[in-house]
């Protein structure tokens, strides 16, 4: 139980912090990348304007180019106010490598500018220009390009983008590496935090559990002594109403103490599991319970295929099945003998083995269904004693937990159905 709680705490902390880390790093990376691309587009637009404007030398200032996005007075780019000023543009114009190809209206192409003669031939640049021309702007792994017009001709300007691409690849790799390291650190911190949170609760629970076991064990001796004295008195004075009451209450106390000891023994312990024939086990329990059901005019029907095998503790599962069948007998509410039937079914669903025990009874509200497995809980609000102490289902739940099984409760068409679902893997 507490190990599951630790895992949930670790998973929750890890999920939240990892989401924040990934979101923050991702936002910083994406924002930086697109901000850089946007700024380079502005530089490329400035270069294209210089190539299309005969008087470009007098129009290099961003303020003189209101048609360039982000350079309007008080303008904003997609990431906020534009601070990419005139001096930065001038520096980028000098530092970056530009290529310009003119495609005439007659279909001929001419290289007007080759910023790196040793890297690309004119033929290669013309081929790139023909690929870029149908689009107004765009980028590849090598180039950032933009298309304009001058005197009826098409100008394709593109700048080298390989440095930026490689830089951001390295940034991405370092971001991923940092994220992995940070995730490992977060995991270690989460485990420590979970330990600090759960350990005090676990210690308190263990003390409570030990007290219950010790108290129950100590009570067995006086209960046995009382039973012996009652037997002696009954032999000496014969039948007596008051002795019968004392004997009845003593038997109740002995049963209650036994159930408390059983519950303390089952909770949070490791059991020896083996492959057992669940079909044979359930049939055996039904046979042993038929007499008790018959006394209450109840018939037990079953649908149990042969050789349903599960990996579990045999004694524990036998006790679990007995609890559910006994619970069904005790809580069958119909008085018509034709409908006084308990149905026990064993089947496979999606690779999992399912034991289903149903009985006619009043529908249990959704708000109370999980409370059924709490200690001393009974749906009868009057708390009138009915032969059960509200510990049977708690014991069944503890047995299911140590055998990795799950219990569900359903109410359909006047039936109360308890399902025990065994895991698919052995």
């Amino acid at each position: 139980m507490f190990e599951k709680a630790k895992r949930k705490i670790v998973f929750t902390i890890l999920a939240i912090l990892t989401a924040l880390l990934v979101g923050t790093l991702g936002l910083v990376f994406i924002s930086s990348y697109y901000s850089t691309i946007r700024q380079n587009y502005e530089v490329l637009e400035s270069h294209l304007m210089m190539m299309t404007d005969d008087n470009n030398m007098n129009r290099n200032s961003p303020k003189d180019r209101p048609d360039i996005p982000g350079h309007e007075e008080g303008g904003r780019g997609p990431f906020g106010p534009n601070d990419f000023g005139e001096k930065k543009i001038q520096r980028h114009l000098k530092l970056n490598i530009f290529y310009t190809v003119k495609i005439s209206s007659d279909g001929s192409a001419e290289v007007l500018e080759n910023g790196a003669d040793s890297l690309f031939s004119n033929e290669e640049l013309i081929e790139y220009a023909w690929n870029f021309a149908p689009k107004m702007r765009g980028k590849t792994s090598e180039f950032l390009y933009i298309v304009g017009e001058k005197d009826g001709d098409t100008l394709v300007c593109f700048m080298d983008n390989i440095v930026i691409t490689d830089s951001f690849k390295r940034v991405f790799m370092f971001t991923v590496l940092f994220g992995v390291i940070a995730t490992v650190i977060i995991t270690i911190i989460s485990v420590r935090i979970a330990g600090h949170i759960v350990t005090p609760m676990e210690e308190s629970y263990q003390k409570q559990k030990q007290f219950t076991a010790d108290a129950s064990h100590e009570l067995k001796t006086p209960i046995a002594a009382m039973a012996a004295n009652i037997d002696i008195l009954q032999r000496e004075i014969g039948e007596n109403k008051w002795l019968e009451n004392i004997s009845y209450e003593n038997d109740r106390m002995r049963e209650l103490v036994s159930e408390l000891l059983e519950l303390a023994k089952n909770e949070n312990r490791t059991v020896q599991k083996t492959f057992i024939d669940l079909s044979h086990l359930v049939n055996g329990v039904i046979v042993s319970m038929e007499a008790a059901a018959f006394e209450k005019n109840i018939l037990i029907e079953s649908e149990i295929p042969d050789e349903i095998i599960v990996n579990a503790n045999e004694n524990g599962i036998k006790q679990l099945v007995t609890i559910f069948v006994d619970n069904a007998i005790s809580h069958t509410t119909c008085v018509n003998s034709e409908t006084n039937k308990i149905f026990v079914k064993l089947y496979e669903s999606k690779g999992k083995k399912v034991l289903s025990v149903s009985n006619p009874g009043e529908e249990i509200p959704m708000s109370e269904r999980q409370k059924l497995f709490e200690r001393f809980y009974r749906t009868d609000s009057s708390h009138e004693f009915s032969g059960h102490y509200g510990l049977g289902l708690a014991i069944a739940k503890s047995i299911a937990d140590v055998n990795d099984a799950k219990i569900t409760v359903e109410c359909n068409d006047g039936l109360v159905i308890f399902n025990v679902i065994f895991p698919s893997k052995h």
Side-chain angles (χ1 to χ4, degrees), residues 36 39-40 43-44 84-98 159 164:
T36 302
Q39 292 174 359
N40 285 340
V43 173
L44 194 55
F84 197 58
E86 178 183 352
K87 291 184 178 180
K88 289 185 178 180
I89 289 181
Q90 295 299 328
R91 289 179 63 184
H92 277 261
L93 287 171
K94 293 179 180 179
L95 294 175
N96 283 286
I97 301 174
F98 296 95
M159 60 183 291
I164 296 173

Side-chain angles (χ1 to χ4, degrees), residues 260-309:
L260 284 171
L261 280 172
E262 187 66 30
L263 184 60
K265 181 181 69 175
N266 284 326
E267 288 184 332
N268 292 320
R269 67 170 179 145
T270 303
V271 296
Q272 184 66 37
K273 297 180 183 179
T274 57
F275 289 100
I276 61 174
D277 187 341
L278 188 59
S279 302
H280 179 73
L281 186 149
V282 173
N283 278 321
V285 172
I286 291 174
V287 170
S288 67
M289 300 293 290
E290 283 181 337
F294 182 77
E295 290 181 358
K296 295 188 175 182
N297 197 30
I298 296 173
L299 178 65
I300 302 179
E301 293 187 349
S302 62
E303 181 182 322
I304 303 174
D306 295 332
E307 297 184 351
I308 298 293
I309 307 298

Side-chain angles (χ1 to χ4, degrees), residues 62-258:
K63 295 181 180 179
D64 295 331
R65 297 191 301 274
D67 55 323
I68 298 178
H71 288 281
E72 305 89 340
E73 185 174 352
R76 294 176 61 91
F79 295 94
N82 194 326
D83 60 352
F84 197 58
E86 178 183 352
K87 291 184 178 180
K88 289 185 178 180
I89 289 181
Q90 295 299 328
R91 289 179 63 184
H92 277 261
L93 287 171
K94 293 179 180 179
L95 294 175
N96 283 286
I97 301 174
F98 296 95
Y99 310 92
T100 305
V101 176
K102 182 178 74 172
I103 300 177
S104 302
S105 56
D106 59 4
S108 61
E110 175 187 0
V111 176
L112 301 181
E113 183 182 22
N114 188 340
D117 295 328
S118 59
L119 292 178
F120 300 99
S121 65
N122 290 346
E123 290 75 13
E124 289 176 316
L125 295 178
I126 291 173
E127 183 178 354
Y128 282 126
W130 278 112
N131 292 329
F132 298 156
K135 305 172 185 177
M136 291 304 297
R137 64 168 61 195
K139 61 183 177 66
T140 66
S141 59
E142 291 184 294
F143 302 107
L144 204 68
Y145 62 87
I146 190 168
V147 180
E149 291 186 1
K150 180 183 178 181
D151 300 331
D153 298 328
T154 300
L155 289 184
V156 182
C157 286
F158 42 104
M159 60 183 291
D160 200 301
N161 194 44
I162 193 69
V163 175
I164 296 173
T165 302
D166 289 344
S167 296
F168 274 99
K169 284 182 180 178
R170 286 193 295 272
V171 171
F172 179 77
M173 292 175 59
F174 282 118
T175 301
V176 172
L177 179 61
F178 174 77
V180 171
I181 295 173
T183 301
V184 173
I185 295 174
I186 291 172
T187 302
I188 296 173
I189 295 174
S190 301
V191 171
R192 290 184 176 275
I193 292 175
H196 285 299
I197 294 174
V198 175
T199 298
M201 294 188 294
E202 185 175 8
E203 291 175 353
S204 176
Y205 177 81
Q206 291 298 336
K207 289 177 181 179
Q208 180 186 14
K209 177 184 172 183
Q210 187 63 42
F211 171 78
T212 302
D214 293 343
S216 300
H217 183 75
E218 292 298 325
L219 285 171
K220 290 179 68 177
T221 301
I223 289 173
M226 288 178 62
N229 288 316
I230 291 170
D231 288 340
I232 293 173
L233 286 174
Q234 284 178 334
R235 285 197 297 268
E236 287 187 358
I237 64 176
E239 292 185 4
N240 182 280
K241 175 182 177 181
W242 309 113
L243 279 179
E244 290 177 0
N245 290 341
I246 294 172
S247 178
Y248 174 75
E249 294 299 334
N250 193 65
D251 289 340
R252 282 186 59 189
M253 181 66 71
R254 181 173 58 246
E255 183 180 350
L256 175 59
V257 169
S258 297

